[in-house]
Amino acid sequence: MNIKRTKKTINFMPYLLLLMVIVGSYLFLNTLGTKVNQLSYTELTESLNKEQVTELAVTPKSGSGVYIITGKLKNYKSNESFSVTVPYTDTVISSLYEIAESKGLKVETNTNPENSAWITILINFVPILLFGLIAYMMLVKLGNGNKGTFDFGKSKAKLAEENGRKTFKDVAGLKEEKEEVQELIDFLKNPKKFTKMGARIPKGVLLVGPPGTGKTLLARAVAGEARVPFFYISGSDFVELFVGVGASRVRDMFKQAKQTAPCLIFIDEIDAVGRERGTGLGGGHDEREQTLNQLLSEMDGFGENEGIIILAATNRPDVLDPALLRPGRFDRQVTVNRPDVKEREEILGVHAKNKILAPTVNLKNIAERTPGYSGADLENLLNEAALLAVRRDKESITMDEIDEASDRVLMGPAKTSRKVTEYEKKIVAYHEAGHAVSGIVLPNGEEVHKITIIPRGMAGGYTQMLPKEERTLVYTKKELEEQIITLLSGRASEETYMHEISTGASDDLKRATKIARSMVTEYGMSSLGPMQFEHRSESVFLGRDYNKTKDFSDQVALQIDQEVKKIIEGCYSEAKRIVGKEKKLIDILAQTLIEKETLTKEEIETLVEQNSDYKIVHDEKERKEEDTKSEEKDNKKSKKQEK
């Protein structure tokens, strides 16, 4: 559907009237402030003889046969002067010059009165014209568009350009999400098919998901596929300092949409205007709530099949007003999750189209090494790699740049210039070796992809560990305990081999404690039984943790702390046992780290196969067989201990 756009015409009359008022006021004030006294020639000569004249100027007035003599007397004020008109004769002027010379008064003669008049006009009127022109330009700038003071109530919704349309081909992954919004496209293309069956298409669709997962891109693709006008606006564009502006903009936006129906309206970050009413420590926000009320009434106001569909995006659906989510408004919620490994490969393929990649770069391997990355993260990863390739004067992007870019995105740039003592290097090496060995030894441990002791960001080093199989929904108690063991193994290695503990494990302790507390209070994985004692309400009005719900007594709180301590101490004991048993492997890893500073996955696997009894398994079938064998061994050990 093509929309004919016409430029907004400007009414020049108000600005012309304003300019006339400014010029008239200036001339009136200028005339009001000056006083000209008319003298006779006799009075002038008497004043000259008495030496009362301080200034004197003679100007011949061409075509009229007279001279205009102007000047000032001693008793005149600064804005006061005199004027004398005399016949155009040489005798009169000559006698005037003689008297002035005898009294030592210099007479100014204007030989070219026409030029003098033009100069006077320029001096008096050009500043006025310049001021008026500047005022006019400012008013036009304020009056144009939707951002001016004259258009406060106008909608700020922008119409997407035809040449910038997106389609589903531009959106990698999101297979289920595309299927969910496909019927919206069908309705916009052929609404009669739905109305004939008596079906009511959803008025509003809410796209929910973490930041950077492609909610806005999906909305643009829906409009592009349907080939309908696409209005987009941010939730914060409704709310202004002036009361009532937001509601007026909502009305104007729906008015424009009805004129171009069928169309799509996309409201990004709708939580800025759609938060629950009457909440917060200081009460509600009247302007925002008025805007929300108007939005709710407008969504009810237009007919069921007028052809206007509202798409909105947010990553905080929990703070939205319930009235906004009821049937008849945002009938449907589409969750846009982070991509899985297959979708990440497709997204990388889209963003790699304009990049020069080396033949050794495998997008599938990159996708496997980036679990949890959103589409925006993957785009940023390739962009950082491209910047590094340019900085290093390379002709293409290699895996070295992609590895470095991944590290920069996760931890920040490497602190290569930072001076690190040999003792610090050694303690960090043993710390990271402890993490790596736990990941290798534990049956459900994650694969170690990289170990480095080069400082990055706030960390002195880090171990990059990735899950063997991508998991997003369910974790068992044993897997969570092994996560805690892996986190605590760095500190256990320091204590075992350096006979000292450092501050380097602070983040590990924080994460381990959080997992343990969640096991007790949220997942029911303790001796307190299958009960949930805490749930995260994360109220944004009071702070994320300020309003955490706690449905238990002080006595139960003590038991929770004891259970958390029990889990942490048990996992720490197991971590110390593992690092103590694998002394040879930890020593080899730590010494190699001190020499090379960074170990890749292949180098780690080589060291493990040469210096331990553990076999690195890459095939999924073999890994499951190994896991089954290790579980059987653990069951036999537990039965022996029970006997």
Side-chain angles (χ1 to χ4, degrees), residues 430-448 463-466 478-493 505 507-509 511-512 515 568 570-576 578-579:
Y430 273 96
H431 180 100
E432 301 303 335
H435 285 310
V437 167
S438 289
I440 294 166
V441 171
L442 293 172
N444 297 308
E446 297 178 326
E447 286 184 344
V448 184
T463 302
Q464 185 182 20
M465 304 177 73
L466 301 176
K478 186 175 182 181
E479 288 171 340
L480 293 175
E481 287 176 344
E482 289 188 358
Q483 286 184 23
I484 298 174
I485 292 170
T486 304
L487 289 168
L488 298 178
S489 294
R491 182 187 176 97
S493 181
D507 187 62
D508 298 331
L509 298 177
R511 292 162 62 190
I515 295 172
I568 294 292
C571 291
Y572 189 61
S573 299
E574 180 64 16
K576 289 179 71 175
I578 291 172
V579 298

Side-chain angles (χ1 to χ4, degrees), residues 179-184 200-207 325-326 329-334:
E179 292 176 356
E180 194 70 18
V181 297
Q182 182 62 46
E183 65 183 27
L184 301 180
R200 180 184 61 83
I201 205 70
K203 288 184 180 179
V205 176
L206 185 65
L207 303 177
L325 304 177
R326 75 155 175 80
R329 288 177 179 143
F330 283 101
D331 305 82
R332 185 177 298 175
Q333 290 191 30
V334 178

Side-chain angles (χ1 to χ4, degrees), residues 262-304:
C263 66
L264 271 173
I265 299 175
F266 177 62
I267 306 175
D268 200 8
E269 305 298 342
I270 195 174
D271 52 278
V273 70
R275 288 186 178 183
E276 189 171 351
R277 291 166 288 185
T279 52
L281 290 172
H285 186 296
D286 287 340
E287 168 62 7
R288 179 176 54 77
E289 292 184 6
Q290 283 185 25
T291 307
L292 176 58
N293 291 336
Q294 186 63 42
L295 179 62
L296 296 175
S297 62
E298 288 289 344
M299 291 187 73
D300 273 349
F302 61 84
E304 290 185 357

Side-chain angles (χ1 to χ4, degrees), residues 94-138:
S94 298
S95 62
L96 190 66
Y97 273 99
E98 288 176 1
I99 297 171
E101 287 178 4
S102 65
K103 301 300 180 181
L105 179 65
K106 186 178 179 181
V107 181
E108 183 181 347
T109 304
N110 295 325
T111 57
N112 194 351
E114 287 80 5
N115 290 345
S116 177
W118 279 108
I119 291 171
T120 303
I121 292 171
L122 288 174
I123 291 173
N124 288 325
F125 290 100
V126 167
I128 302 173
L129 293 174
L130 287 175
F131 178 77
L133 183 62
I134 293 171
Y136 169 75
M137 291 174 66
M138 292 178 65

Side-chain angles (χ1 to χ4, degrees), residues 10 111 130 158 181 188 208 243 267 320 323 328 371 387 427-428 431 443 451 469 484 537 586 609:
I10 302 171
T111 57
L130 287 175
K158 298 177 182 178
V181 297
L188 291 169
V208 180
V243 178
I267 306 175
L320 295 180
L387 293 174
I427 198 169
V428 172
H431 180 100
I451 314 173
E469 297 177 1
I484 298 174
S537 60
I586 286 182
E609 290 174 358

